[in-house]
Each structure stands twice: as C-alpha cells, then as structure tokens.
Amino acid sequence: MTTIESLTLEVADTEAAHRFYTTAFGLDSQLRLRTAQAPTSGFRGFTLSLVVSQPADVNAFFDAAITAGATALKPAAKSLWGYGGVVQAPDGTIWQLASSSKKDTGPATRTFDELVLLLGVEDVPASKRFYVERGLSVAKGFGSRYVEFATGSAPVKLALYKRRGLAKVAGVSPEGSGSHCLAVNGDLGSFTDPDGFVWEESASAPTLAQITEGIGRR
C-alpha cells in the first residue's frame, strides 16, 4: 500500500514555522520545513486537516493555533457533517480542524486521529485516474467532487477535492498562482501531478523533531 511519510512545507522562516507547528498542533515527523524559493499568491490549492474525536478537541486546537499566531478563516461551529473550524498558519498554510462528532464524550485533549492532505484539483476524475495509474487505491469517492485514497496506517492521508469547492470550504477565494509551497514525501517516486503538486521520493528537508534537536544544540 502506498505510504505518504511526511509533507514538506516551503515557508519564509523555518524556525518561526517550527515554533508554530510544535506549539499549536504538536506536530513532529509528519511535517518537514524548507525555505521557500518560488513566489506564490492567493489560494495555494490545498488544505491540511487535523481530524479529532470530539468538538472540545477542535476548540483546543483552534484556540492554540490562534494563540500561536494563526488567523481564523472560519470559527469553529456545528455543521451537517460534524463540527469544525478553519485557520491559516502564519506561513500561509490553511488548516481544517474537524470532528465528525457533534457532542463531546470527555475532557478536551490536544491529540488528533488523522492528518489529511486535501489537494484541490481542476478535474477530480482525471486526477483520480492519474493517481490510480501510479498505484494508489480508492477508499471512497463522491462522484466528480471528492476522492479519498487508501493509505492504511500512513502518517498522512490523501484526498482530492474540486479546487473551487475546497476554497469555499476553507473560506477563501479560489484564485491563486505560483508555487503550492508543498511537496509530498512518499513511496510513489518523484513526479509532478496534473495540477502542479510535487511528489518527492525522499525528503532532504529536516523534520520538526530534527529542527528541535538543532535548536537545542545551539
């Protein structure tokens, strides 16, 4: 089964981004950071989601992100599918904080069940075929709007969403250009998909844990 080991975010300030992600979300080996080289503007075409078990956990992550410097794009609230909110990290990455539950079952925690990468694509069926031809298996799908791939117990889950629909969910304009400021690190090899998302076979950028070690040795 195809595995996504981590994601590399391209940011203006790697140490500032490291502080945010460790403080707000407690992320570690799932994220790598490197200095951005290419210009970007507007919606970058993807979101990252922390899926949690209950609304109280959504609120805990949401409040921690805002305290750490994130901008609220959508306040945490109930919806037809559950409970969630959207924030934008200081580096520009959009994060959805979500639970399928509408009721709390215990005290709030800052632990998440899944980290999901949602790629906003122009043609969901075409992108689905592209990834299936490279070895990914479809776990579930909803017509031409959404596809979720089977990635087992991999650190990062992968799904495709119609770009304009994803921007609407995130609470931003779908317009954007330049770099996605994202690389996907997995075992599919190195390539660029039809929407310009880059996959890398191995990541040379340090993980958050490695950055922490480097800071500690100073």
Side-chain angles (χ1 to χ4, degrees):
M1 183 174 288
T2 298
T3 298
I4 299 177
E5 298 175 354
S6 63
L7 302 170
T8 297
L9 296 180
E10 297 179 348
V11 301
D13 185 331
T14 57
E15 290 197 11
H18 165 266
R19 287 194 297 271
F20 174 79
Y21 288 118
T22 53
T23 300
F25 300 148
L27 292 167
D28 190 352
S29 60
Q30 306 96 331
L31 280 189
R32 295 173 180 266
L33 302 171
R34 66 186 175 208
T35 304
Q37 300 295 331
T40 187
S41 65
F43 182 45
R44 296 179 184 175
F46 74 94
T47 68
L48 295 175
S49 298
L50 294 183
V51 180
V52 301
S53 62
Q54 60 179 355
D57 302 338
V58 171
N59 292 335
F61 276 119
F62 191 96
D63 292 344
I66 298 303
T67 299
T71 300
L73 297 180
K74 282 188 174 182
K78 288 183 180 179
S79 66
L80 291 175
W81 51 264
Y83 186 89
V86 185
V87 300
Q88 187 167 35
D91 65 85
T93 303
I94 295 173
W95 289 80
Q96 298 187 58
L97 310 170
S99 172
S100 60
S101 174
K102 297 181 182 180
K103 294 183 179 180
D104 291 326
T105 57
T109 68
R110 294 218 3 236
T111 60
F112 59 89
D113 301 321
E114 294 181 339
L115 170 59
V116 182
L117 169 62
L118 274 164
L119 300 182
V121 302
E122 293 299 330
D123 188 330
V124 172
S127 292
K128 171 185 171 182
R129 289 193 298 272
F130 178 87
Y131 281 109
V132 168
E133 289 171 357
R134 278 155 181 78
L136 283 170
S137 300
V138 175
K140 65 177 69 173
F142 298 97
S144 61
R145 296 185 61 189
Y146 178 83
V147 172
E148 183 180 312
F149 294 103
T151 50
S153 58
V156 184
K157 309 294 184 182
L158 175 67
L160 307 177
Y161 205 103
K162 190 75 173 177
R163 179 187 169 97
R164 296 189 70 86
L166 183 59
K168 183 177 181 180
V169 169
V172 297
S173 167
E175 304 304 319
S177 62
S179 173
H180 293 298
C181 293
L182 170 77
V184 185
N185 312 312
D187 56 7
L188 284 185
S190 299
F191 61 88
T192 301
D193 81 358
D195 292 275
F197 291 101
V198 174
W199 285 64
E200 298 176 346
E201 190 166 3
S202 60
S204 58
T207 65
L208 297 185
Q210 291 167 334
I211 294 175
T212 298
E213 292 174 2
I215 294 173
R217 286 195 292 267
R218 294 179 182 177

